[in-house]
Amino acid sequence: MSATIIDDLRAAFDHTTVLTGADIDARYHTDMAGVPVAPPLAVMRPRSTEDVSTFLKLCHGARVPVTTQGGMTGLVRATMPLAGEIVLSMERMNAIEEVDTGGGVVIAQAAVPLQRVHERVAQHGFMYPLDLGARGSCTIGGNISTNAGGNRVIRYGMTRDLVLGLEAVLADGTVLKGVRKYIKNNTGIDLKHLFIGSEGILGVVTRAALRIFPAPAERQVALCALPSFGQVVSFLELARRHLGGELTAFEVMWNEYYRLTVERVKGVTGPLPTHHPFYVLFEASGGDAERIHADLENLLEKALGDNLILDATLSTSNASAAAMWRIRDSSVELGRSFPYAARMGFDVSLAIDRMDQYADTIGARIRAIDPQAFAVVFGHAGDGNLHIGLHHEHTPEKRDEFEKLVYDLTGEFGGSISAEHGIGILKRPYLKMSRTEAEIETMRTLKRALDPQNILNPGRIFTV
Amino acid sequence: MSATIIDDLRAAFDHTTVLTGADIDARYHTDMAGVPVAPPLAVMRPRSTEDVSTFLKLCHGARVPVTTQGGMTGLVRATMPLAGEIVLSMERMNAIEEVDTGGGVVIAQAAVPLQRVHERVAQHGFMYPLDLGARGSCTIGGNISTNAGGNRVIRYGMTRDLVLGLEAVLADGTVLKGVRKYIKNNTGIDLKHLFIGSEGILGVVTRAALRIFPAPAERQVALCALPSFGQVVSFLELARRHLGGELTAFEVMWNEYYRLTVERVKGVTGPLPTHHPFYVLFEASGGDAERIHADLENLLEKALGDNLILDATLSTSNASAAAMWRIRDSSVELGRSFPYAARMGFDVSLAIDRMDQYADTIGARIRAIDPQAFAVVFGHAGDGNLHIGLHHEHTPEKRDEFEKLVYDLTGEFGGSISAEHGIGILKRPYLKMSRTEAEIETMRTLKRALDPQNILNPGRIFTV
């Protein structure tokens, strides 16, 4: 079977398009963790949507599984080839086809790196709001397949909210030509949502029309200390009301996160003392620097007057704004200041009115296992998204127990076990904490209907 | 078979829940057009999601078709019972279950009228941004099933963008419990999008979590005259850049629409002369009246300086703002000033950079059929959505020819034949103008997978 499919691919494509054996570079079977798995059967490097279609038709006929690769920056092991799989690397479909400033649309092929979209539309004074740490490597196709989130979700939404239309190829080679530029299109089932966030199990995204926006000239940042999580919630509501569309970030840090980051991470200084229960970093953006400054000042005055916040500081320069962001952006460095074998990271969503109790319960339950274990909690409060660093230096052997504890609790709180990162292989055992049996069975029904031979990223998210 | 299902329903539910014969009011088989069809086999009025599930399980087993009804305000004949169908009227599931201002969420059952959501969240100083003319009758479930658009899409998006989570019942009675309050949830296929905008063919929406926002205290309006559509596009870009999140409407009117409305509709006065090629009405909203006024003035000054606009007037009071909106809102009245039998309305989407040529081509093609026929074009330019009134007083017999002309042209321009209204039965013959054969076939695959007995709104959008 394997020999046949390779022969068929060689007959259909040139030697730069189908790689086998020694021609397969390690990057096709290595992800962010840096440890390669066994090489794939072959690597397919299409130049066009037609190539993808021809390729999938052959794989579908031969029942050969395929894993589709973008920038290989995922965190859930969704694109590392499993035994017997062919890698479909989109790397040569990397053209930006159109920038339409009147319509507010950019059309890009799947393998365009996110940062290249930023740079290209910036030439026209525009922004594509999606932004992540992996911006230099991650691709538009990968962003879509994982419904990437990032820094500006509170204002512009997730990737899903930015995709006007897309082209995708189904498992049997059928091409769905859906690159449309309009916002309103109530003509039956909106098929693009099948492919956004479904980690490549229902189709291969080849091109997309994405929303772009005039770039705001100014960004300013404030850091506040708050006495309780109830006040964090009230302050978020006040900030939304006062800043409206100017509010582009609202990040919360529990005391431990702020204090430990200021104490342990080199180059980070805290402009506020470290004893307050909660800290909020928020950002406003717009065209007029003076106005934004005045808006932030007014908001802080009102919040102080209402006893929502205890203390606050406002950026006075790009440098001071960057210094404040450095506190929030140092979660990786904070993690690395603790022993590798005894720390874990989580990325969950839950209703904001339950976050406080959730964090308290995690703290209590981990201390019940190990009195010296602790959690640092922080995240995009405005998006309902928390990150949790869990440290258990004295009980490294209890890793699985801690993991189960967090996911079980997330399920109990009706939360999502994956706000941004997806499920892939790594989180598959915990999918049932966030989705009901009926939902997972419906996902299986869709998978069987659209990919009856189970060739697209099989075993990712769930097994059929 | 019919007798059996009625017996089964009577055994399962009380007499207020299952109506037959003379107990079936005409409203269950009459829509906006006001002409009743034959009564349905029965009317089912569930009190709960469990009722819906039990009901569908029985219909699925007996292969009895069902049409689900909300406020009966649709325009495409999607919910009028066909022969042999049972009406599933959601009318008794009409509770607002929760208003969570901290999280920015309202949870409502399917039959809550849109206006009741507005009124309820307004008590907390919030708004649910979806707004349509039918607000008093249309329901949350119907809004979701049709992905309703309306007046504030440019700022807040369509219904799809406002649904955080929903509960739906599949054809076989399976309940998908997806009423979740968080924005970020990358845990496999996002099933809610199957039910949003798919006109009830894949499941019955029973409850939903919807996004709400702090209500802006102030709205101001400006009306401008522009020399060309190219300038309309440039002015939209300028307005987006200057107003950012304050921009809550951007409506364009071709000369014929503005001129004829001012000339023919009682109570409408035009603050600008009627000879300009294009008119734009736009609205800014926010918390601070003075600021909005200053922003609008600055924008108009800049646009005049750049020769984007020829003339402009700014609202000075709620009354003058309402008078300007009346021009844009008088499309129905303008239509009624022409003979009923020789006028038609269309609701299309297309890329903004093609609108001008599209409108010109429609004008040329209708004049080729009837030199005295003409089109009035207007719409939500900021959303890529145009409405077209087509008047052919001297050739009323050519209705079908004109209809085909407009839909064919929309297809040629890569547009959508239904921006907001859906497909239902009425637009089914034209679905292929906006969706490819492969897309329609994929819709059929989904329909067969999720509703194998074809009992949910069969024949709406497409036939299986």
Side-chain angles (χ1 to χ4, degrees), chain A residues 209-226:
Chain A
L210 306 168
R211 299 184 75 168
I212 56 175
F213 299 82
E218 286 293 328
R219 289 181 195 283
Q220 290 180 23
V221 178
L223 181 72
C224 314
L226 299 93

Side-chain angles (χ1 to χ4, degrees), chain A residues 196-242:
Chain A
I196 302 172
S198 60
E199 305 184 31
I201 69 167
L202 298 182
V204 175
V205 174
T206 46
R207 296 160 66 227
L210 306 168
R211 299 184 75 168
I212 56 175
F213 299 82
E218 286 293 328
R219 289 181 195 283
Q220 290 180 23
V221 178
L223 181 72
C224 314
L226 299 93
S228 77
F229 195 80
Q231 267 118 325
V232 172
V233 175
S234 300
F235 184 51
L236 172 59
E237 196 178 325
L238 188 74
R240 282 194 206 268
R241 195 175 293 278
H242 272 246

Side-chain angles (χ1 to χ4, degrees), chain A residues 78-107:
Chain A
T79 58
M80 287 283 265
L82 303 178
E85 287 184 350
I86 297 180
V87 162
L88 172 59
S89 171
M90 300 302 292
E91 62 195 307
R92 296 201 289 190
M93 290 187 66
N94 63 357
I96 295 177
E97 298 180 354
E98 187 185 347
V99 179
D100 169 5
T101 55
V105 186
V106 58
I107 297 180

